[in-house]
């Protein structure tokens, strides 16, 4: 992928089980945050959808589509920068990828 370290529309997120970074929208539970997630097919523990990567059988953390604002591929190892990017703070998805210009 070109420009791997930029936020993208959730509609373009891979649904093949690969782990990605997502911006979780702010809610009454707290401010926006970044989480490591993946798309999971339905199984005996939960239905098809986005799951936090630290989910485990019987303790599945699921995200509904509206909870996730945008995504980016995992950044490459680079010791000169912070370990996690800041959550997307723009108004909404129309501003991602320069589409609000």
């Amino acid at each position: 992928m070109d420009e791997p370290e930029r936020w993208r529309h959730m509609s373009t997120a891979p649904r093949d089980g690969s782990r990605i970074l997502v911006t979780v929208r702010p809610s009454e539970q707290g401010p926006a945050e970044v989480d490591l997630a993946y798309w999971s097919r339905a199984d005996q523990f939960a239905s098809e959808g986005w799951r936090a990567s630290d989910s485990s059988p019987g303790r599945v953390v699921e995200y509904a589509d509206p909870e996730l604002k945008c995504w980016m591929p995992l950044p490459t190892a680079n010791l000169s920068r912070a370990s996690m990017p800041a959550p997307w703070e723009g108004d909404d998805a129309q501003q991602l990828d320069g589409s609000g210009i």
Side-chain angles (χ1 to χ4, degrees):
M1 288 184 203
D2 58 328
E3 296 184 59
E5 296 181 15
R6 66 176 171 80
W7 291 110
R8 303 161 189 221
H9 290 271
M10 280 305 296
S11 63
T12 65
R15 293 186 177 211
D16 61 3
S18 56
R19 274 136 172 86
I20 60 173
L21 294 177
V22 294
T23 292
V24 181
R25 292 181 185 275
S27 69
E28 58 275 357
Q29 282 82 32
E33 61 181 26
V34 173
D35 199 0
L36 186 62
Y38 66 98
W39 181 262
S40 177
R41 292 190 172 94
D43 59 22
Q44 64 183 355
F45 302 108
S47 58
E48 179 178 70
W50 294 105
R51 293 185 186 176
S53 66
D54 57 354
S55 292
S56 59
R59 297 179 188 259
V60 175
V61 177
E62 292 183 301
Y63 290 114
D65 284 332
E67 290 180 277
L68 302 179
K69 197 168 194 177
C70 51
W71 76 281
M72 83 166 52
L74 290 175
T76 58
N78 184 344
L79 300 177
S80 66
R81 57 173 293 223
S83 60
M84 283 288 238
W88 171 257
E89 295 292 339
D91 289 333
D92 218 328
Q94 69 266 20
Q95 293 183 8
L96 295 172
D97 299 328
S99 58
I101 297 172

